[in-house]
Amino acid sequence: MYLYNSLSRKKELFVPNHPELVKMYTCGPTVYHYAHIGNLRTYIMEDVLEKYLRYLGYNVKRVMNITDVGHLSSDGDTGEDKMLKGAKREHKTVMEIAKMYTDAFFEDCRKLNIKRPDVVEPATNCIQDYIHIVQTLIDKGYGYLAGGNVYFDTSKLERYYVFNDFNAEDLDVGVREGVEEDVNKRNKNDFVLWFTQSKFEDQALKWDSPWGVGYPGWHIECTGISLKHLGEDMDIHCGGIDNAFPHHTNEIAQSESYLGHKWVNFWFHVHHLNTADGKMSKSKGEFLTVSLLESKGYDPLVYRFFCLQGHYRKNLVFTWENLDNAAAAYNKLVEKIAAVEPEGEVDAAALEELRARFRKGMDADLNTSLGITAVLDALKAKTNGATRLAAVADFDKVLGLDLIAAAERKREAARKAEAETEHDPEIEAALAARTAAKKAKNFAEADRIRDELKARGIEIIDTPQGPKWKRI
Ligand code: AMP
Ligand code: ZN
């Protein structure tokens, strides 16, 4: 497949480093609050990528961290630890908050058919790994102590801004967010590897280290956890586009300085879900969650479908109207699938042809909207029902929309409605006579039959499946 690589800013043919295993890493959630549906857009698209790689026959090992320490309110190492903020807000301990929101995150993932990564590692589990990396960076001359914290010295790098051509001013997070600059930094983009005496509020979770009691910075977590579980190289590192700077830029700086060689081949960044009036944020009071969608009567898979209709490298705008349109399109698709009778034997050659069409779309930088089009094409294909349904089931291993199960539920509901319908041969004969009259353009006769039935307390309801009746 061709996949866009943020590092080269080009679509590149995906070839894994080791043919037997694709190594994939995902920046996980900061568990101080519920995930908003923007965060979940990123996880949905990463899930599709993982499933598509498996669909292509690769073995995948996917690792995700859970950030339960060290992510400060500003990505530029300033402000309060987000976890501490969450704990204070809810009058709980940091660990209680971490457990509650980790569970809530995986519950949201379950509802959205997002597979749990093979390894899920909370940041607080790997403190010794970070200490080892930070010590090595200091020994190699990349780390320095100042004001009690350990910093990474970005001036030691040949190239720091690996992802973009923005000017340094735009990328100065501290200045951008109007937060006081950290005077201990030698260079404005230096970042904290290990906090001891933070000038910010006291931290609930602390560990002993060669530099004093403290806690790790956010970026070092992803380096430590990925090296622990995936080794010294990896194929794909994923995250939302806002992670590209400073988080991923800093991850690369410290990981490659520590390893002494290139670390990640592909950087996969999912662009943002925005509301009509701008960025989605957790700090703006009530925010959009999966539970909120459910409370308004939406199936979470309609949200997944909505995300798949767009391309992961384009911003997506969330409005209720857009979601309603996605719900209508999803329902229509399920109805079409429900209308296919599973007759015949699966025709292997015809199925392979349909699969090739699906792969063509998905191979083009994970074009999920073409993936959905391939489902519609399969339903229209000139082959038997069993083959068409087999294609839908096959593509849905990647799309994760529960298409076959949802269609089966629809068929079941229709069977039940049919079973509950009262049958009366005389009334049904009258309905058939009316249909025949309409077909013969004898509308007077058709109306006469309708009136006669009405006089007997029977109302005719015309539906796409033909006329039905009920007692008034
Ligand atoms: P966080 O829990 O804040 O660490 O974020 C979890 C993931 O969601 C990260 O990969 C972010 O890059 C991503 N993310 C944050 N905001 C959005 C958004 N509005 N749309 C899509 N992804 C987002
Ligand atoms: Zn990360």
Side-chain angles (χ1 to χ4, degrees):
M1 80 183 296
Y2 277 84
L3 198 58
Y4 183 83
N5 186 352
S6 305
L7 209 51
S8 62
R9 271 169 265 148
K10 280 202 290 270
K11 286 179 207 163
E12 292 176 33
L13 181 67
F14 176 74
V15 183
N17 264 340
H18 311 275
E20 73 285 4
L21 185 69
V22 173
K23 298 198 251 180
M24 189 171 169
Y25 185 84
T26 302
C27 289
T30 309
V31 282
Y32 71 112
H33 218 320
Y34 293 108
H36 59 55
I37 58 171
N39 302 133
L40 291 161
R41 177 193 189 194
T42 292
Y43 296 110
I44 287 170
M45 301 318 287
E46 293 165 349
D47 178 66
V48 174
L49 174 62
E50 176 190 346
K51 286 178 177 155
Y52 189 57
L53 290 167
R54 292 185 194 275
Y55 180 89
L56 292 177
Y58 294 114
N59 251 329
V60 180
K61 179 174 181 185
R62 173 141 173 238
V63 177
M64 180 194 272
N65 68 301
I66 299 288
T67 299
D68 54 0
V69 68
H71 191 175
L72 304 190
S73 298
S74 155
D75 286 355
D77 296 335
T78 55
E80 209 176 357
D81 187 304
K82 290 190 181 188
M83 293 302 296
L84 199 60
K85 205 163 146 183
K88 274 202 225 156
R89 188 186 60 233
E90 300 190 19
H91 308 289
K92 293 203 167 90
T93 66
V94 165
M95 275 341 230
E96 281 167 349
I97 289 288
K99 164 139 188 28
M100 178 173 145
Y101 289 117
T102 303
D103 291 349
F105 172 72
F106 284 114
E107 183 55 16
D108 285 345
C109 287
R110 190 188 60 75
K111 289 176 183 165
L112 291 164
N113 274 348
I114 299 171
K115 178 186 165 293
R116 193 184 166 95
D118 304 287
V119 177
V120 174
E121 184 83 277
T124 48
N125 271 5
C126 304
I127 301 298
Q128 292 315 315
D129 298 79
Y130 317 140
I131 290 177
H132 170 75
I133 297 167
V134 173
Q135 186 59 59
T136 309
L137 287 170
I138 295 173
D139 296 345
K140 286 184 153 189
Y142 291 104
Y144 62 91
L145 266 155
N149 296 331
V150 184
Y151 292 87
F152 186 93
D153 186 348
T154 52
S155 72
K156 294 274 155 53
L157 301 172
E158 263 173 50
R159 187 160 171 247
Y160 172 64
Y161 299 119
V162 285
F163 286 119
N164 36 42
D165 295 327
F166 296 142
N167 65 49
E169 198 73 354
D170 287 342
L171 297 169
D172 187 349
V173 186
V175 171
R176 191 180 61 205
E177 298 190 1
V179 186
E180 204 184 316
E181 258 187 281
D182 182 346
V183 291
N184 296 316
K185 293 183 181 183
R186 288 184 192 161
N187 313 288
K188 66 178 181 220
N189 281 308
D190 288 0
F191 54 92
V192 177
L193 296 167
W194 186 269
F195 289 98
T196 58
Q197 289 163 23
S198 166
K199 64 185 158 112
F200 316 112
E201 218 174 316
D202 197 19
Q203 176 73 5
L205 294 174
K206 288 181 273 199
W207 295 264
D208 212 0
S209 84
W211 320 286
V213 175
Y215 59 98
W218 171 39
H219 318 299
I220 200 74
E221 296 172 9
C222 288
T223 292
I225 291 171
S226 65
L227 293 184
K228 176 176 171 187
H229 292 289
L230 295 172
E232 292 199 354
D233 64 12
M234 106 172 65
D235 296 291
I236 309 175
H237 192 311
C238 319
I241 188 69
D242 60 309
N243 281 163
F245 185 85
H247 184 49
H248 292 162
T249 305
N250 292 348
E251 280 188 41
I252 293 175
Q254 64 200 9
S255 302
E256 297 195 348
S257 303
Y258 168 78
L259 292 168
H261 59 73
K262 185 174 167 159
W263 177 43
V264 176
N265 275 353
F266 279 81
W267 286 87
F268 177 86
H269 287 124
V270 180
H271 286 241
H272 274 185
L273 177 80
N274 298 320
T275 53
D277 54 1
K279 195 171 177 266
M280 198 158 291
S281 151
K282 289 183 203 176
S283 48
K284 282 191 199 158
E286 194 198 40
F287 55 90
L288 293 159
T289 58
V290 169
S291 312
L292 183 72
L293 301 192
E294 283 184 301
S295 73
K296 290 183 184 282
Y298 294 96
D299 177 346
L301 291 185
V302 162
Y303 178 64
R304 184 175 171 112
F305 182 79
F306 171 65
C307 290
L308 299 196
Q309 284 179 313
H311 191 261
Y312 77 90
R313 279 199 304 119
K314 289 211 175 93
N315 285 346
L316 190 60
V317 177
F318 178 86
T319 63
W320 293 106
E321 196 189 346
N322 288 350
L323 192 64
D324 284 338
N325 289 338
Y330 178 73
N331 266 326
K332 219 164 148 187
L333 179 61
V334 170
E335 257 161 33
K336 281 189 177 147
I337 299 165
V340 178
E341 287 302 329
E343 28 73 54
E345 294 274 316
V346 174
D347 175 339
L351 178 61
E352 190 39 49
E353 207 175 293
L354 295 172
R355 279 168 55 92
R357 249 191 264 176
F358 176 68
R359 283 199 305 269
K360 191 166 176 227
M362 298 294 283
D363 278 345
D365 194 21
L366 209 71
N367 193 326
T368 46
S369 104
L370 288 181
I372 293 172
T373 307
V375 177
L376 289 162
D377 288 348
L379 290 169
K380 284 186 276 186
K382 288 189 176 51
T383 176
N384 63 27
T387 308
R388 281 181 282 152
L389 290 174
V392 173
D394 184 63
F395 308 164
D396 204 36
K397 283 188 223 152
V398 178
L399 303 175
L401 295 167
D402 278 1
L403 292 174
I404 297 291
E408 190 41 52
R409 279 196 299 275
K410 226 170 230 284
R411 286 168 77 100
E412 188 51 42
R415 275 197 290 273
K416 215 168 143 211
E418 176 62 24
E420 280 166 7
T421 312
E422 197 183 333
H423 287 286
D424 183 312
E426 199 197 327
I427 297 172
E428 271 144 33
L431 287 189
R434 174 174 166 269
T435 305
K438 273 167 76 174
K439 212 166 171 187
K441 299 213 180 335
N442 186 351
F443 298 110
E445 173 64 3
D447 288 348
R448 191 196 60 75
I449 297 173
R450 176 189 282 277
D451 293 344
E452 191 185 293
L453 286 173
K454 198 167 180 187
R456 289 170 54 194
I458 307 289
E459 188 192 344
I460 301 175
I461 306 147
D462 286 309
T463 76
Q465 287 77 38
K468 309 257 185 260
W469 62 274
K470 69 170 189 192
R471 296 193 191 277
I472 325 170

